[in-house]
Amino acid sequence: MSKVFLDDPNLGNLEKKYLTRAIDSNFVSTVGPFIPEFEEKFTHYIGTERAISTQSGTAALHMALYQLGIGEGDEVIVPSLTFIATINPVLFVKAKPLIVDVDPITWNIDPQEIKKAITEKTKAIIPVHLYGSVCNIEEVIEIARENNLYVIEDATESLGATYKGRQTGTFGDFGCFSFNGNKLITTGGGGMIVSNNQKKAEHIKFLVNQARDASKGYYHPEVGFNYRMTNIEASLGLAQLERIDNFLKKKRNFRKIYQEIFNDLPYIKFQEEFDNSSGSWWLTCIKVDKNNIDIDNLMLKLKNKGIPTRRIFMPASEMPYLKKFSKPCPNAYEIYNYGICLPSSTLNEEEDIRKTALIIRELL
Ligand SMILES: Cc1ncc(COP(=O)(O)O)c(C=O)c1O
């Protein structure tokens, strides 16, 4: 069997061509033509009014909270099952995260838990579309409207996923994306923040550039950040964006193959698709409902057979500095204890995934 890839990036001749152009132009830093071009094409792909490139997905989330004026004394509701970068920016702005449990079927934030957690200090919700699976965004938006809360979508893992035909990241006040090396498309490291509010978006464009008013030289009317993407990164992003349809097709097909091959195994449960949505399936993940299955041991056995896997994110309440902010999250723990992410990189071919699934099946 050829080498199997978990979440490795897929870079080729187009990326080399655009990268060479960036180097040849000598625009390698935060000024250069690829940056506005990438922002414009990303805006068009996503369907919002504006997209602002950033240094990372974490920076995008930080800027969203900061621009909305969320700070000390405020609370922000977040899911327990996510990468830590969803929650840390809440602490960057000195607000308090309220960590709630996820739905056992979609593994995404449970709207009922959001309702229970809201207090008079709550200012925002950060729903995450985990592993490219769409959360119950309609209900999250409704709860936010009823309670006068902001919504910042953490769409860092769900580029290309849609709900009722509309891209994730476009429902809230802001949507945040990541182009880290393992994501659907990569710029090496980078992010994007999207919004339909031009004024707020332009303010973020200004904030990420040291809040510089260039019309007055080196004049900075407020505190700013250096959270810009580079022209080199944007050149990669443009090439990757041209290939996104093919990447998505592959990811969705890989999940179908796993589903076909595990179809008659009742103890394998997939992270399920929410109604009316189409997941991007950045990573296909399963939960093994078998008596006392030891996930680390299973991963080791798979590794010895050349199959790389990764564990589900550890529930946020396991982090010593976050424990005090967490509600009980039994579903997040259940998924963490028995879940696993399967090889999903677009470097794989259909045949590799088929063989991988058969080996996992045999081992189980
Ligand atoms: C759910 C989630 N939120 C935020 C981030 C942060 O993105 P970045 O690594 O680009 O800072 C990531 C990805 O790494 C993520 O998976």
Side-chain angles (χ1 to χ4, degrees), residues 56-59 61 82-83 85-86 128 130 154 156-157 177-180 182-183 190-191 282 313:
S56 65
T58 311
L61 286 157
T82 185
F83 182 52
T86 306
V128 180
L130 197 71
D154 183 338
T156 49
E157 300 184 356
F177 295 87
S178 165
F179 309 124
N180 184 32
N182 60 6
K183 295 299 191 294
W282 166 56
F313 295 118

Side-chain angles (χ1 to χ4, degrees), residues 70-306:
I70 291 163
E72 208 160 352
D74 296 336
E75 293 170 349
V76 179
I77 299 176
V78 295
S80 169
L81 199 69
T82 185
F83 182 52
I84 201 66
T86 306
I87 306 175
N88 281 340
V90 177
L91 297 170
F92 298 170
V93 298
K94 298 192 166 59
K96 181 178 156 190
L98 294 178
I99 300 165
V100 303
D101 206 4
V102 295
D103 173 80
I105 310 294
T106 64
W107 305 8
N108 284 314
I109 198 161
D110 181 342
Q112 297 315 313
E113 297 301 315
I114 296 177
K115 282 185 193 164
K116 281 192 250 167
I118 292 172
T119 74
E120 72 279 7
K121 290 182 179 165
T122 310
K123 287 286 182 318
I125 309 167
I126 309 183
V128 180
H129 304 287
L130 197 71
Y131 300 127
S133 140
V134 181
C135 79
N136 187 346
I137 190 66
E138 204 163 65
E139 206 170 333
V140 171
I141 295 287
E142 205 176 299
I143 295 169
R145 240 187 241 131
E146 280 166 7
N147 294 277
N148 203 19
L149 307 176
Y150 292 117
V151 174
I152 299 166
E153 277 179 89
D154 183 338
T156 49
E157 300 184 356
S158 66
L159 177 57
T162 56
Y163 176 68
K164 292 187 176 168
R166 191 168 145 190
Q167 294 280 339
T168 55
T170 65
F171 293 86
D173 296 274
F174 288 115
C176 300
F177 295 87
S178 165
F179 309 124
N180 184 32
N182 60 6
K183 295 299 191 294
L184 181 76
I185 68 169
T186 185
T187 57
M192 196 74 85
I193 180 159
V194 303
S195 181
N196 282 317
N197 186 319
Q198 284 277 14
K199 213 169 146 198
K200 285 186 191 301
E202 285 312 322
H203 188 212
I204 286 185
K205 185 76 182 163
F206 168 77
L207 287 170
V208 299
N209 186 25
Q210 308 280 18
R212 181 179 172 199
D213 178 355
S215 70
K216 294 183 184 158
Y218 285 94
Y219 176 64
H220 308 265
E222 62 174 306
V223 174
F225 302 80
N226 182 6
Y227 274 172
R228 295 163 297 177
M229 180 176 276
T230 66
N231 199 49
I232 283 202
E233 289 163 343
S235 76
L236 288 175
L238 266 177
Q240 292 264 287
L241 198 56
E242 283 184 34
R243 302 172 65 201
I244 196 169
D245 289 345
N246 181 261
F247 291 163
L248 271 171
K249 205 167 135 193
K250 272 190 128 176
K251 296 255 187 202
R252 287 176 172 144
N253 187 38
F254 291 166
R255 182 168 185 268
K256 254 193 214 136
I257 293 170
Y258 284 122
Q259 281 179 318
E260 269 165 36
I261 293 178
F262 300 152
N263 184 36
D264 57 336
L265 304 182
Y267 50 83
I268 292 192
K269 304 270 193 299
F270 281 80
Q271 180 188 17
E272 282 302 335
E273 190 144 72
F274 187 63
D275 298 345
N276 299 313
S277 76
S278 172
S280 66
W281 308 115
W282 166 56
L283 293 178
T284 290
C285 303
I286 55 169
K287 192 157 77 72
V288 186
D289 275 343
K290 244 183 159 186
N291 280 347
N292 298 325
I293 181 108
D294 181 337
I295 287 294
D296 286 326
N297 189 257
L298 174 65
M299 287 174 70
L300 189 64
K301 284 186 187 157
L302 288 168
K303 189 178 167 209
N304 291 337
K305 289 186 178 287

Side-chain angles (χ1 to χ4, degrees), residues 45-72:
Y45 179 79
I46 286 292
T48 46
E49 289 290 321
R50 187 79 166 96
I52 311 289
S53 56
T54 58
Q55 198 185 52
S56 65
T58 311
L61 286 157
H62 184 192
M63 285 300 90
L65 289 157
Y66 184 86
Q67 203 288 327
L68 293 170
I70 291 163
E72 208 160 352

